[in-house]
Short mmCIF file of all heavy atoms in Angstrom, two decimals:
data_model
loop_
_atom_site.label_atom_id
_atom_site.label_comp_id
_atom_site.label_asym_id
_atom_site.label_seq_id
_atom_site.Cartn_x
_atom_site.Cartn_y
_atom_site.Cartn_z
N LEU U 105 7.85 -6.22 -33.38
CA LEU U 105 9.18 -5.80 -33.84
C LEU U 105 9.67 -4.53 -33.16
O LEU U 105 10.88 -4.31 -33.06
CB LEU U 105 9.15 -5.59 -35.36
CG LEU U 105 8.91 -6.85 -36.21
CD1 LEU U 105 8.77 -6.47 -37.68
CD2 LEU U 105 10.03 -7.87 -36.02
N THR U 106 8.74 -3.68 -32.72
CA THR U 106 9.14 -2.37 -32.21
C THR U 106 9.04 -2.23 -30.69
O THR U 106 9.66 -1.34 -30.10
CB THR U 106 8.29 -1.26 -32.84
OG1 THR U 106 6.89 -1.47 -32.50
CG2 THR U 106 8.45 -1.24 -34.35
N ASN U 107 8.28 -3.12 -30.04
CA ASN U 107 7.96 -2.92 -28.63
C ASN U 107 9.19 -3.00 -27.73
O ASN U 107 9.33 -2.24 -26.77
CB ASN U 107 6.91 -3.94 -28.17
CG ASN U 107 6.15 -3.49 -26.95
OD1 ASN U 107 6.01 -2.28 -26.71
ND2 ASN U 107 5.66 -4.43 -26.18
N LYS U 108 10.10 -3.93 -28.03
CA LYS U 108 11.26 -4.12 -27.17
C LYS U 108 12.17 -2.89 -27.15
O LYS U 108 12.85 -2.63 -26.16
CB LYS U 108 12.05 -5.34 -27.61
CG LYS U 108 11.34 -6.65 -27.31
CD LYS U 108 12.21 -7.85 -27.67
CE LYS U 108 11.50 -9.16 -27.32
NZ LYS U 108 12.33 -10.34 -27.66
N LYS U 109 12.19 -2.14 -28.23
CA LYS U 109 13.04 -0.95 -28.30
C LYS U 109 12.27 0.34 -28.02
O LYS U 109 12.77 1.44 -28.25
CB LYS U 109 13.72 -0.87 -29.66
CG LYS U 109 14.72 -2.01 -29.90
CD LYS U 109 15.47 -1.82 -31.20
CE LYS U 109 16.50 -2.92 -31.39
NZ LYS U 109 17.26 -2.74 -32.67
N GLY U 110 11.02 0.20 -27.58
CA GLY U 110 10.22 1.36 -27.20
C GLY U 110 9.60 2.11 -28.35
O GLY U 110 9.14 3.26 -28.18
N GLY U 111 9.53 1.50 -29.53
CA GLY U 111 8.99 2.21 -30.69
C GLY U 111 7.50 2.07 -30.89
O GLY U 111 6.90 2.84 -31.64
N TRP U 112 6.88 1.09 -30.22
CA TRP U 112 5.46 0.84 -30.44
C TRP U 112 4.58 1.98 -29.93
O TRP U 112 3.68 2.44 -30.64
CB TRP U 112 5.04 -0.46 -29.78
CG TRP U 112 3.55 -0.70 -29.76
CD1 TRP U 112 2.74 -0.71 -28.66
CD2 TRP U 112 2.71 -0.93 -30.89
NE1 TRP U 112 1.45 -0.95 -29.02
CE2 TRP U 112 1.39 -1.09 -30.39
CE3 TRP U 112 2.92 -1.02 -32.26
CZ2 TRP U 112 0.31 -1.35 -31.21
CZ3 TRP U 112 1.84 -1.27 -33.09
CH2 TRP U 112 0.55 -1.44 -32.57
N ILE U 113 4.82 2.45 -28.73
CA ILE U 113 3.98 3.50 -28.15
C ILE U 113 4.00 4.78 -29.00
O ILE U 113 2.94 5.32 -29.35
CB ILE U 113 4.40 3.80 -26.69
CG1 ILE U 113 4.12 2.58 -25.80
CG2 ILE U 113 3.69 5.03 -26.15
CD1 ILE U 113 2.67 2.19 -25.71
N PRO U 114 5.18 5.32 -29.37
CA PRO U 114 5.18 6.51 -30.24
C PRO U 114 4.49 6.26 -31.57
O PRO U 114 3.84 7.16 -32.12
CB PRO U 114 6.67 6.81 -30.44
CG PRO U 114 7.33 6.20 -29.25
CD PRO U 114 6.55 4.97 -28.95
N SER U 115 4.60 5.03 -32.09
CA SER U 115 4.01 4.72 -33.39
C SER U 115 2.49 4.68 -33.32
O SER U 115 1.80 5.30 -34.14
CB SER U 115 4.55 3.37 -33.88
OG SER U 115 3.86 2.96 -35.05
N ILE U 116 1.93 3.97 -32.34
CA ILE U 116 0.48 3.79 -32.27
C ILE U 116 -0.22 5.09 -31.86
O ILE U 116 -1.40 5.30 -32.17
CB ILE U 116 0.11 2.63 -31.32
CG1 ILE U 116 -1.34 2.19 -31.54
CG2 ILE U 116 0.35 3.00 -29.86
CD1 ILE U 116 -1.61 1.58 -32.88
N PHE U 117 0.50 5.98 -31.16
CA PHE U 117 -0.10 7.23 -30.72
C PHE U 117 0.22 8.41 -31.64
O PHE U 117 -0.20 9.54 -31.37
CB PHE U 117 0.36 7.58 -29.30
CG PHE U 117 -0.20 6.66 -28.24
CD1 PHE U 117 0.51 6.40 -27.08
CD2 PHE U 117 -1.44 6.07 -28.39
CE1 PHE U 117 0.00 5.57 -26.09
CE2 PHE U 117 -1.96 5.23 -27.42
CZ PHE U 117 -1.24 4.98 -26.28
N SER U 118 0.94 8.18 -32.72
CA SER U 118 1.31 9.28 -33.61
C SER U 118 0.09 9.77 -34.40
O SER U 118 -0.76 8.98 -34.82
CB SER U 118 2.41 8.84 -34.58
OG SER U 118 1.91 7.87 -35.48
N LYS U 119 -0.01 11.08 -34.54
CA LYS U 119 -1.05 11.74 -35.35
C LYS U 119 -2.47 11.47 -34.87
O LYS U 119 -3.41 11.47 -35.65
CB LYS U 119 -0.92 11.33 -36.83
CG LYS U 119 0.42 11.74 -37.45
CD LYS U 119 0.50 11.32 -38.91
CE LYS U 119 1.84 11.72 -39.51
NZ LYS U 119 1.96 11.31 -40.92
N VAL U 120 -2.63 11.21 -33.57
CA VAL U 120 -3.97 11.09 -32.99
C VAL U 120 -4.06 12.01 -31.78
O VAL U 120 -3.06 12.22 -31.09
CB VAL U 120 -4.32 9.65 -32.57
CG1 VAL U 120 -4.37 8.72 -33.77
CG2 VAL U 120 -3.33 9.13 -31.54
N SER U 121 -5.23 12.56 -31.55
CA SER U 121 -5.40 13.43 -30.38
C SER U 121 -6.88 13.59 -30.08
O SER U 121 -7.74 13.43 -30.96
CB SER U 121 -4.76 14.81 -30.60
OG SER U 121 -5.46 15.51 -31.61
N LEU U 122 -7.18 13.91 -28.84
CA LEU U 122 -8.54 14.25 -28.46
C LEU U 122 -8.86 15.65 -28.95
O LEU U 122 -7.98 16.52 -29.01
CB LEU U 122 -8.69 14.18 -26.94
CG LEU U 122 -8.42 12.83 -26.28
CD1 LEU U 122 -8.58 12.94 -24.77
CD2 LEU U 122 -9.33 11.74 -26.82
N THR U 123 -10.10 15.88 -29.31
CA THR U 123 -10.48 17.19 -29.86
C THR U 123 -10.73 18.23 -28.76
O THR U 123 -10.52 19.42 -28.98
CB THR U 123 -11.75 17.06 -30.71
OG1 THR U 123 -12.80 16.49 -29.92
CG2 THR U 123 -11.49 16.17 -31.92
N LYS U 124 -11.14 17.79 -27.58
CA LYS U 124 -11.49 18.71 -26.50
C LYS U 124 -10.24 19.27 -25.84
O LYS U 124 -9.24 18.57 -25.69
CB LYS U 124 -12.36 17.98 -25.47
CG LYS U 124 -12.92 18.88 -24.38
CD LYS U 124 -13.90 18.10 -23.50
CE LYS U 124 -14.47 18.95 -22.38
NZ LYS U 124 -15.45 18.20 -21.56
#
Side-chain angles (χ1 to χ4, degrees):
L105 295 174
T106 61
N107 203 27
K108 289 185 179 180
K109 294 186 178 180
W112 171 248
I113 294 298
S115 172
I116 196 66
F117 290 150
S118 67
K119 298 180 181 179
V120 296
S121 67
L122 300 179
T123 57
K124 187 173 179 178

